Amino acid sequence: MCLALLVILLHCSSLKAREVFTINKVEIRADPSLQVPNGDALTILCIADISKSGNFMIEHHFTFFKDGRILSDITSLQNRTEYKIPAARFADTGEYVCMVKAKEKKKKSEVMLVKVTGLPKPKLTALKNMVTEGEELVLKCEVPEEAPPLTFTFQKLLTPGGPVTRTKKELEKNFTTIEIPVEPGDKILRFQCIASVYSAHGMQESAPSDVELVTVVEPFSTPALVIEPSLNVTEGDNVKLVCRVVVRNYDIEIIIQKDKVILNSTRGQNTLTYFTKVSMQDNGNYTCKVELGSVSKEKTVNMVVTELFSKPELIHSAKMIDEGDWLQLQCKVKGLLPVTKISIKTRYLGKDNLLNDSSSFITKAHVNNTATYICTAEINGIIKESDPVKINVYAPVSIPQLWIVPSVRDVILGRAIRFQCQSMYGTPPITYKFFRGNKTVNSSQIFNKLPAEFRDKPTEVGVEQYSCEASNHHSHIRKRSRELNITVIAPVGKVNLISVPKREVEDGKGISFRCYVETGSLPINFKLLKQNNRKPISEDTKMDTEVIWYKETWSKQDSGEYFCEASNPTNIVQRSDVISINVILASWQKVLIALFVLVIIVILGCGGCCWYLWKKRKAKHPSIEMSGSAGVTNSAGVKLEPRQNSDGQYYPGYMDDSENHMKATDENKAPVQKGTEPVYSEIRKANNDSGENRYSKIESCPDAT
C-alpha cells in the first residue's frame, strides 16, 4: 500500500515538472476608439497571448500605465482584463501601456495614444446679482469635471468696441475668481466664461458658459449744468452757473471747474452754484463733476462771451529814444460804449505805477524814463490792459579811454597784450570796437558799466597805435578814444661769443672777446662771465647788437670757460655757448726754460765726463801707488794686500803690468767720438807715455791725492 502511494506521488511530481508556458504577446486596445468625446465612457483592454505545455491554470498580474504612471493593478486567472473610465475627460488623454506578469515572466504591450476631445461647458457664477456703480463685482468660473492646470477667459458682453476679456491661469485648481469694477453708466451687465487646457498632446477649448446677468444701481445721477441767463453773454454780464444732481443719500462731492481750474466745490449737497462777472477770458468750457469714491460723472457746457470793447492799444513814438528827444504815448480803445476810465502806467517787477489818468502822455526823454509801459481801459466794470511796451532811452556815450592791463611802457613781440576800453557815461548796451591803426581787430558788446577787454599780439617791432570806439543805440553819437602808442620790442635772439686769439693766449699777453646777438631791440646789456663765477668780468649796455672787450695781461689763473649773457628791456636773458681759454707760456719764458735746461744738461755732462776720467785713471795706476806705499796697514795694524784699500777692500781696477799693457793696447784701438774728443785725446796721450810719465800724470791729477 505504501509503495503504491509513493509511485503515485512521484508520478504527480513528474507531471508538475512538465508545466511549461511562454508569453507570446501583450495587446492593448481602447473601446470604443482611440479618440473619445469628452464625457463618454472609455475602456482600456489588455490581452495576454500565452502558450502552455498543458491544460493548467496560470495566475496573471495586469498593470495599466498612463504616461509612465501606474493606473491600476489587476490579478486574474483569465488572459484578459479591462480598465474602465466611466466619463473620459481631457486629463485622460495620454499614452497607455499594459504589462502582464506570470510567475517570473513578464511582458509589456506597445504604447497606445488615446485622445479625449473637447471640454465640458464651464459654470459661471456672480456672487451678487445687483451692484452699485464703482463697486467691485466678483465672478467665479469653474469646470468641476476637469483637472488642472486650466485657463479661464472672462468676457464682458455688449460693450462698445466688442467684448472686454480677462484671462487667468490656475495651476492647482479647476476654478478661479476675478474682480471686475462696475463702470459709471453701466445698467445691466452680461458675462460669460470659457475654459481651455494645454498639454503635450494638444489644446482643447470649451464652449462658452451660460450668460450671467447683473443689475447695476446708480448711487447718483449724471449732473445737470445750467448757465444763467444763457450760454451766450456779453462782457460785464453777471452769470450764474448751477450744477444739480439726483443722489441717494450718499456723501457726494460736486466740483465746478473751467478747464483745469476749480471755481467752486461742495460736499454732501445735491446743488452747487458759482457767480461771476464775465470777461473775454471767461470764454470756454465749464464742467460740473460729481464724485463718490471711484465713481465720477460730469457734465460740460460751453459759454460764449461777446467782447464789449477791444483790448486797448498803446501807441508809442519809438522803442529806442535818444536822451533829450520827446517820449510820446497814446492809448487807443475800440468799442461801442464810451470808456469809463483810461490810464497809462509803468510796470516794474509786477508792480504798476500810475503815470497819467488820460489817453496820452508826453515828456522830454531822460534815461530814467527807460521802463515797461502799459495802458488800461475800463467800461461797465470790465478792465482791460494793453500789451506791455518796453521803451529804452539812451544817453550818448562819452569819449572812451583805452589802457593796457597791467600798465607797461614796452611790450614784447609775440606776446598777447590785454587792453581795456571804457566809456564812463552812456546807456548800455555799449558796443566797443578795437583798432590797430585803422584796422578793426575785434568788437564787443557790454551790457553793464564794466570795461570791454581786448587782446592783440603784435607781429612787428616798432611803435603800434591802438584806439577804441564806443557807441550804443543813440542815433547819432559814436566816439573814439585817443591813440595809445605802444612800443613793441623783441627779445634778444641767439647770443654768440668769439675770442681773438682763439682758445690759447700767451701768459702776459692780451685777448679780445666779441659778444654779439643776431636779433633784439636796443639797448642791449652784455655781460662776460667765467664759469662758476657769478660776478661778471665785464658788463656794458650798448645801443648796438655787439660789444668787444679787451683784457691786456692774462695769467695762468685766468684759464677756464667763458660765456656771454645778453638781455634788453624785455628782461629775457640769453646765454652764449661756452668757450674754453687756455693761458700758455710766453715765448721768452719758453727760451729761458730751454736755456736753463741746456745749462743743466751741460753741467751734468761735464760732471759726468770728469767723473768718468777720474775713474779711468784711477783704474790704470793702482800698483804704482801700492808699491810706493809698501807695508801699508789699516787702522787695525793689519798689513794690507796690494789690491786692498785701508778698509781691506780690493780695488776693482787693479791689474799687473802685462794686463796693463794689454788693456792699453785695446784702449789704443778705441774710436774717438766727437762729443768726447778732449777726453779720449787725453787717454791716447796717456797710453803713449812711458811708465815714469804715467806716474806724474796721475800725481798731477787733483783727484790722485
Side-chain angles (χ1 to χ4, degrees):
M1 184 65 178
C2 291
L3 182 60
L5 289 173
L6 180 60
V7 171
I8 293 171
L9 288 173
L10 291 173
H11 179 70
C12 291
S13 298
S14 62
L15 289 176
K16 187 173 181 66
R18 288 195 296 271
E19 291 181 358
V20 179
F21 72 93
T22 182
I23 302 175
N24 298 317
K25 181 181 179 183
V26 176
E27 184 180 0
I28 187 169
R29 299 176 185 173
D31 186 25
S33 67
L34 295 177
Q35 186 165 315
V36 182
N38 194 295
D40 287 2
L42 174 64
T43 301
I44 307 298
L45 296 173
C46 185
I47 303 169
D49 181 8
I50 299 177
S51 298
K52 297 186 292 184
S53 61
N55 190 16
F56 54 87
M57 302 297 294
I58 300 176
E59 188 176 64
H60 305 83
H61 295 278
F62 297 91
T63 304
F64 291 90
F65 297 88
K66 176 184 175 290
D67 296 331
R69 295 174 302 178
I70 297 176
L71 289 177
S72 176
D73 281 323
I74 301 173
T75 301
S76 175
L77 293 175
Q78 301 294 324
N79 66 340
R80 65 170 59 200
T81 189
E82 60 185 23
Y83 174 74
K84 291 187 176 184
I85 302 174
R89 302 300 178 190
F90 185 82
D92 296 320
T93 297
E95 294 177 341
Y96 289 83
V97 174
C98 175
M99 183 179 72
V100 176
K101 183 178 181 182
K103 294 186 179 181
E104 74 283 356
K105 297 181 179 181
K106 59 183 178 180
K107 198 175 190 69
K108 281 186 178 182
S109 69
E110 293 182 353
V111 176
M112 179 183 67
L113 176 61
V114 177
K115 290 186 178 182
V116 179
T117 60
L119 287 177
K121 184 166 69 173
K123 181 181 179 183
L124 178 63
T125 305
L127 298 188
K128 293 173 68 176
N129 292 325
M130 183 176 291
V131 292
T132 305
E133 290 177 338
E135 190 177 347
E136 296 286 338
L137 173 63
V138 179
L139 297 175
K140 180 182 179 182
C141 185
E142 59 184 332
V143 186
E145 303 87 355
E146 287 291 345
L150 294 166
T151 300
F152 297 93
T153 302
F154 294 84
Q155 293 182 338
K156 183 180 178 181
L157 305 176
L158 301 179
T159 58
V164 178
T165 62
R166 285 179 58 184
T167 301
K168 189 175 180 181
K169 292 182 179 181
E170 287 291 349
L171 301 178
E172 299 178 353
K173 298 181 295 184
N174 56 6
F175 69 91
T176 190
T177 59
I178 62 168
E179 294 182 351
I180 296 179
V182 180
E183 302 291 340
D186 287 341
K187 302 298 182 183
I188 297 177
L189 302 177
R190 294 172 175 80
F191 298 98
Q192 67 181 16
C193 72
I194 299 172
S196 57
V197 63
Y198 298 85
S199 73
H201 305 294
M203 185 273 288
Q204 295 293 326
E205 185 176 272
S206 71
S209 67
D210 295 334
V211 176
E212 184 77 359
L213 299 178
V214 178
T215 303
V216 180
V217 178
E218 283 186 317
F220 54 86
S221 65
T222 300
L225 179 60
V226 178
I227 297 178
E228 300 175 355
S230 70
L231 294 177
N232 297 316
V233 294
T234 304
E235 281 185 313
D237 289 350
N238 291 317
V239 173
K240 181 174 70 172
L241 283 78
V242 181
C243 181
R244 295 184 179 90
V245 64
V246 178
V247 65
R248 297 177 179 176
N249 300 323
Y250 290 106
D251 188 20
I252 62 171
E253 183 178 22
I254 305 175
I255 298 171
I256 294 178
Q257 65 185 54
K258 181 180 184 295
D259 299 326
K260 295 182 180 180
V261 179
I262 296 176
L263 304 177
N264 201 3
S265 65
T266 185
R267 183 180 289 276
Q269 304 294 325
N270 61 357
T271 303
L272 178 63
T273 304
Y274 173 71
F275 294 93
T276 184
K277 178 177 280 192
V278 296
S279 63
M280 290 303 296
Q281 287 79 13
D282 296 321
N283 249 318
N285 292 323
Y286 290 81
T287 301
C288 175
K289 184 182 293 185
V290 183
E291 296 178 339
L292 176 65
S294 62
V295 181
S296 177
K297 297 181 181 182
E298 61 184 44
K299 175 67 175 178
T300 300
V301 296
N302 180 260
M303 182 171 65
V304 179
V305 181
T306 303
E307 189 176 44
L308 182 63
F309 63 97
S310 64
K311 183 179 182 178
E313 181 184 5
L314 183 62
I315 300 173
H316 49 279
S317 54
K319 287 188 176 182
M320 292 185 291
I321 303 174
D322 294 345
E323 189 177 42
D325 289 352
W326 291 102
L327 169 61
Q328 298 181 19
L329 300 173
Q330 188 174 7
C331 186
K332 287 188 175 181
V333 181
K334 295 179 180 179
L336 301 176
L337 299 177
V339 178
T340 307
K341 185 178 181 181
I342 191 167
S343 303
I344 296 178
K345 305 175 183 179
T346 61
R347 177 170 291 173
Y348 180 72
L349 296 178
K351 184 178 180 181
D352 294 344
N353 296 312
L354 180 65
L355 281 181
N356 198 356
D357 273 333
S358 67
S359 61
S360 62
F361 174 78
I362 184 169
T363 186
K364 201 138 193 167
H366 188 269
V367 175
N368 295 335
N369 295 127
T370 296
T372 299
Y373 293 84
I374 62 168
C375 75
T376 60
E378 181 179 347
I379 300 177
N380 197 19
I382 300 298
I383 300 174
K384 295 184 180 182
E385 69 177 35
S386 67
D387 292 330
V389 176
K390 179 68 187 298
I391 294 179
N392 294 285
V393 180
Y394 289 92
V397 294
S398 60
I399 296 175
Q401 294 181 350
L402 181 67
W403 65 92
I404 295 179
V405 180
S407 180
V408 292
R409 293 178 57 189
D410 303 323
V411 296
I412 301 173
L413 179 68
R415 288 192 181 179
I417 316 172
R418 181 182 167 202
F419 296 88
Q420 286 188 344
C421 179
Q422 184 179 24
S423 287
M424 301 305 295
Y425 302 102
T427 304
I430 299 176
T431 301
Y432 294 94
K433 286 187 178 180
F434 181 62
F435 299 90
R436 186 195 315 118
N438 291 323
K439 181 181 179 181
T440 303
V441 177
N442 205 346
S443 63
S444 176
Q445 191 173 50
I446 303 299
F447 291 86
N448 48 39
K449 291 293 186 179
L450 296 177
E453 288 198 2
F454 300 99
R455 292 179 183 270
D456 190 43
K457 188 181 291 185
T459 57
E460 295 181 0
V461 176
V463 177
E464 292 279 7
Q465 292 183 338
Y466 291 93
S467 62
C468 68
E469 182 183 86
S471 63
N472 59 3
H473 290 293
H474 195 282
S475 60
H476 304 297
I477 305 301
R478 183 183 298 271
K479 295 185 178 180
R480 193 160 181 165
S481 69
R482 297 178 60 185
E483 289 186 340
L484 180 64
N485 294 331
I486 302 297
T487 301
V488 181
I489 58 176
V492 294
K494 184 178 180 182
V495 182
N496 301 282
L497 178 64
I498 60 176
S499 64
V500 180
K502 293 183 178 180
R503 297 184 181 177
E504 291 184 349
V505 62
E506 291 184 358
D507 191 0
K509 288 190 177 182
I511 189 171
S512 295
F513 288 99
R514 177 173 176 254
C515 182
Y516 64 95
V517 297
E518 296 179 358
T519 58
S521 297
L522 305 177
I524 300 176
N525 178 263
F526 296 92
K527 292 180 183 179
L528 179 65
L529 299 100
K530 187 178 181 182
Q531 195 80 295
N532 301 324
N533 191 349
R534 298 179 60 183
K535 185 177 180 181
I537 298 171
S538 184
E539 181 175 1
D540 285 298
T541 300
K542 296 283 187 179
M543 293 296 293
D544 198 354
T545 57
E546 69 174 20
V547 65
I548 297 176
W549 293 294
Y550 179 74
K551 185 178 179 183
E552 295 183 351
T553 305
W554 280 66
S555 60
K556 190 65 178 177
Q557 56 267 28
D558 293 325
S559 295
E561 294 180 331
Y562 291 83
F563 61 91
C564 174
E565 285 184 352
S567 63
N568 61 2
T570 63
N571 295 323
I572 298 175
V573 180
Q574 298 286 359
R575 177 181 290 189
S576 70
D577 294 335
V578 174
I579 62 173
S580 297
I581 302 297
N582 185 27
V583 180
I584 61 176
L585 295 175
S587 299
W588 65 268
Q589 290 175 325
K590 295 178 181 178
V591 172
L592 183 61
I593 291 172
L595 290 174
F596 177 76
V597 172
L598 186 58
V599 169
I600 295 299
I601 293 172
V602 171
I603 293 172
L604 291 175
C606 292
C609 289
C610 290
W611 179 80
Y612 179 75
L613 290 173
W614 176 73
K615 281 290 187 180
K616 272 291 194 178
R617 289 174 182 176
K618 198 164 185 178
K620 289 177 182 179
H621 312 293
S623 59
I624 299 175
E625 292 181 7
M626 294 299 106
S627 63
S629 326
V632 179
T633 61
N634 60 10
S635 59
V638 180
K639 187 176 180 178
L640 299 175
E641 294 292 330
R643 293 173 60 190
Q644 287 181 317
N645 61 16
S646 60
D647 294 329
Q649 296 175 341
Y650 288 94
Y651 292 107
Y654 175 80
M655 61 188 70
D656 56 15
D657 290 341
S658 60
E659 289 173 345
N660 288 336
H661 178 74
M662 290 175 65
K663 189 168 185 181
T665 304
D666 295 332
E667 288 173 352
N668 246 349
K669 297 178 182 179
V672 179
Q673 298 179 5
K674 291 181 179 181
T676 55
E677 278 189 7
V679 178
Y680 281 92
S681 298
E682 186 66 25
I683 293 172
R684 286 196 297 272
K685 186 178 180 182
N687 289 334
N688 294 326
D689 289 343
S690 60
E692 58 270 14
N693 289 339
R694 187 165 55 230
Y695 296 145
S696 61
K697 195 70 177 177
I698 291 174
E699 291 173 355
S700 64
C701 183
D703 294 331
T705 57

